[in-house]
Amino acid sequence: MGSSRAGRPPLQRVTRRPPFAHPPRDNPVRRLLTRARRAWDRPLTAYYLILGGSLLITVLGLVMVYSASQITALQLSLPGSYFFRKQFLAATIGAGLLFLASRMPVKLHRALAYPMLAGSVFLMILVQIPGIGMAVNGNQNWISIGGPFQLQPSEFGKLALVLWGADLLARKQDKRLLTQWKHMLVPLVPVAFMLLGLIMLGGDMGTAIILTAILFGLLWVAGAPTRLFVGVLSVAVLIGVILIKTSDNRMARLTCLGSTDVEQCWQAVHGIYALASGGLFGSGLGASVEKWGQLPEAHTDFIFAVTGEELGLAGTLSVLTLFAALGYAGIRVAGRTEDPFVRYAAGGVTTWITAQAVINIGAVLGLLPIAGVPLPLFSYGGSALLPTMFAIGLLIAFAREDPAARAALAMRQPRFGRKRAGVPPGPRRRNTMRRRASAARSSGER
C-alpha cells in the first residue's frame, strides 16, 4: 500500500450502514379482522353458531316468559311461576329431542319423514272432531292431552313438511326428475295444500303462512324456475286475499297496520308503547308496565315487546343478532353440503325459523299485520317449542356431517380421562413443567 505525504497510511473509507429499517407496523384493526375472518371460515363455525345461538335464545326466552307471564298467571288465580314451569318442562323435553336429533344419522331422519307426515295429518283431522278438538282464541287447532297440557298438531305439521318434502325432492333429484315441472310440483304442492286446508279449517292463518313459507323455501332450494315459482306464489296470494276478505277479524288486523288508534288496534298500539318506553337499556327485568293487563298475549305473541320494554334496545338487538346468526348458519349448512336431503331439509328449517321470527317481530314493530305466531324458541308454548328444538337438532346433525367438520371433531383431543382411539391404556401421567424439563435432559444427567 502507498503512504501519504506525511508518512501516514491512507485513511480507509468507512462504509456507513444503512439506517435500521423498522418492520411496518401491523394495523390492529386489520389483524383483528383477519383473525375474525379465519375464525368465521373454520369448519365448526356453523355447528357452534347453531348450538350456541339456539341455547341462548331458549334460555333468554325462559327468563322473559317468567317475567312476562307472572301478572297473567296471578290474574287467572294461578301461581306466578305457573307458565314458567310449563315452559321449563317443555324446554327440558325439547333439549332431549335436540340431543336425540343431533345424534341420529341422516338415514333415520329420512325414515321418519312419512310416519311423521301421516301422524300430523291424523292429529289435524282429530282437531276438527267435536269433543276432541279445542278452540283457543277462536281457533280450533288444539287437542287436550290431559290436565293443563294441550297439543297443537299444526306445529308438528311444519316439521313433517320439512322432512317429507326434503326426502321427496332428494329422491327425485337422484332420478333426475326435477328438471320437469310436474315432478317439481307433484305431489309436494298438493300435500302442502292439504295441510294448509286442515289448518285453515281451524282458522289459524298465522300457521298457514309459515307452512306456505316452508313450501316456497323448499321450491327455492330445489331450483324451481322463476315462472313456476311466481305461478305458485300467485295462487297462494290469491287464496290468502280471499281468506282475508271473508274474515272481519283478519281485515281488522290488516287495517291496524301502522295505525295509532288505541280503540281499534289496542294490542298493536300497546306493543309500540312497550318498545318506546324501553329506551336504550330498558326499565329493568321484571319492571314492565304494559304486562299489567295493558298488553294482551304478553308472554306469547308479544313477548318481544316486553323484552324491548325491560331490556331496551340492547336486548332486542341481541335477540335479532342471535336469530341472524342462526339463519346464517342454516344457510351455510345448506350451501356447503353435497347431500340433497341435507340441503333441502336445512333450507326448509332455516326458512321456517327465520320466516316465523320475521313475521312475529314485524307484527310487534307494526311493520306487518298481527298473524298470531310465536317467536321461535322464545315465546311461551310447548307445542311450538318441541318441534322447533327437534329441527335445531337436525341442523346440528347436518353441520356435524360436513366432511371438514367431521375431521375437525375427530382431531379434538379427548378430555377428562377419555381414551384416545388406537392408543393402549397406560398409567396416567401428569404433564407438569417439572416432568417436561426432566424429559428434556439426557438419560445420564441428574
Side-chain angles (χ1 to χ4, degrees), residues 380-426:
Y380 169 79
S383 294
L385 184 62
L386 294 181
T388 306
M389 294 193 75
F390 188 91
I392 294 296
L394 279 178
L395 290 180
I396 295 175
F398 297 157
R400 291 170 59 93
E401 287 295 323
D402 182 77
R406 191 186 309 169
L409 288 172
M411 290 179 62
R412 292 193 309 180
Q413 294 184 357
R415 298 177 181 177
F416 306 110
R418 290 181 294 180
K419 299 178 181 179
R420 298 184 181 180
V423 178

Side-chain angles (χ1 to χ4, degrees), residues 348-408:
V349 171
T350 306
T351 303
W352 163 16
I353 295 176
T354 53
Q356 187 165 328
V358 168
I359 291 174
N360 177 276
I361 296 174
V364 174
L365 295 176
L367 303 176
L368 295 174
I370 299 175
V373 296
L375 189 58
L377 301 172
F378 202 84
S379 297
Y380 169 79
S383 294
L385 184 62
L386 294 181
T388 306
M389 294 193 75
F390 188 91
I392 294 296
L394 279 178
L395 290 180
I396 295 175
F398 297 157
R400 291 170 59 93
E401 287 295 323
D402 182 77
R406 191 186 309 169

Side-chain angles (χ1 to χ4, degrees), residues 314-367:
T316 55
L317 289 181
S318 300
V319 175
L320 291 175
T321 302
L322 290 174
F323 275 109
L326 195 59
Y328 166 79
I331 294 174
R332 177 168 171 164
V333 171
R336 293 194 174 190
T337 183
E338 297 180 358
D339 190 336
F341 173 79
V342 173
R343 180 167 60 252
Y344 298 140
V349 171
T350 306
T351 303
W352 163 16
I353 295 176
T354 53
Q356 187 165 328
V358 168
I359 291 174
N360 177 276
I361 296 174
V364 174
L365 295 176
L367 303 176

Side-chain angles (χ1 to χ4, degrees), residues 53-118:
S54 59
L55 291 181
L56 287 175
I57 294 173
T58 305
V59 172
L60 183 58
L62 286 173
V63 175
M64 294 311 304
V65 165
Y66 180 68
S67 176
S69 64
Q70 288 182 348
I71 306 304
T72 304
L74 295 176
Q75 289 175 346
L76 297 175
S77 301
L78 297 171
S81 60
Y82 175 78
F83 294 104
F84 168 76
R85 286 181 293 175
K86 292 181 63 177
Q87 186 73 358
F88 184 78
L89 177 61
T92 304
I93 300 174
L97 293 176
L98 186 149
F99 178 79
L100 180 64
S102 65
R103 296 293 177 174
M104 290 170 55
V106 176
K107 292 182 178 179
L108 186 54
H109 285 302
R110 299 187 68 168
L112 289 176
Y114 282 87
M116 189 170 293
L117 178 65

Side-chain angles (χ1 to χ4, degrees), residues 220-433:
W220 182 271
V221 177
T226 305
R227 292 179 298 176
L228 184 63
F229 196 84
V230 172
V232 178
L233 181 61
S234 302
V235 173
V237 170
L238 178 61
I239 296 175
V241 170
I242 295 174
L243 292 174
I244 293 175
K245 288 286 187 180
T246 54
S247 174
D248 295 335
N249 184 27
R250 299 187 188 113
M251 283 297 300
R253 293 185 179 186
L254 188 62
T255 55
C256 286
L257 188 62
S259 175
T260 58
D261 188 357
V262 181
E263 297 296 332
Q264 300 295 329
C265 308
W266 180 274
Q267 187 177 21
V269 174
H270 277 275
I272 298 297
Y273 286 169
L275 291 172
S277 59
L280 186 59
F281 297 104
S283 58
L285 191 63
S288 171
V289 176
E290 292 294 332
K291 68 182 180 182
W292 287 76
Q294 302 296 324
L295 182 63
E297 308 297 336
H299 60 297
T300 54
D301 301 344
F302 270 67
I303 194 171
F304 189 76
V306 179
T307 304
E309 185 179 4
E310 295 187 351
L311 302 182
L313 181 64
T316 55
L317 289 181
S318 300
V319 175
L320 291 175
T321 302
L322 290 174
F323 275 109
L326 195 59
Y328 166 79
I331 294 174
R332 177 168 171 164
V333 171
R336 293 194 174 190
T337 183
E338 297 180 358
D339 190 336
F341 173 79
V342 173
R343 180 167 60 252
Y344 298 140
V349 171
T350 306
T351 303
W352 163 16
I353 295 176
T354 53
Q356 187 165 328
V358 168
I359 291 174
N360 177 276
I361 296 174
V364 174
L365 295 176
L367 303 176
L368 295 174
I370 299 175
V373 296
L375 189 58
L377 301 172
F378 202 84
S379 297
Y380 169 79
S383 294
L385 184 62
L386 294 181
T388 306
M389 294 193 75
F390 188 91
I392 294 296
L394 279 178
L395 290 180
I396 295 175
F398 297 157
R400 291 170 59 93
E401 287 295 323
D402 182 77
R406 191 186 309 169
L409 288 172
M411 290 179 62
R412 292 193 309 180
Q413 294 184 357
R415 298 177 181 177
F416 306 110
R418 290 181 294 180
K419 299 178 181 179
R420 298 184 181 180
V423 178
R428 182 179 298 179
R429 301 178 63 184
R430 298 185 180 275
N431 191 18
T432 61
M433 293 294 295

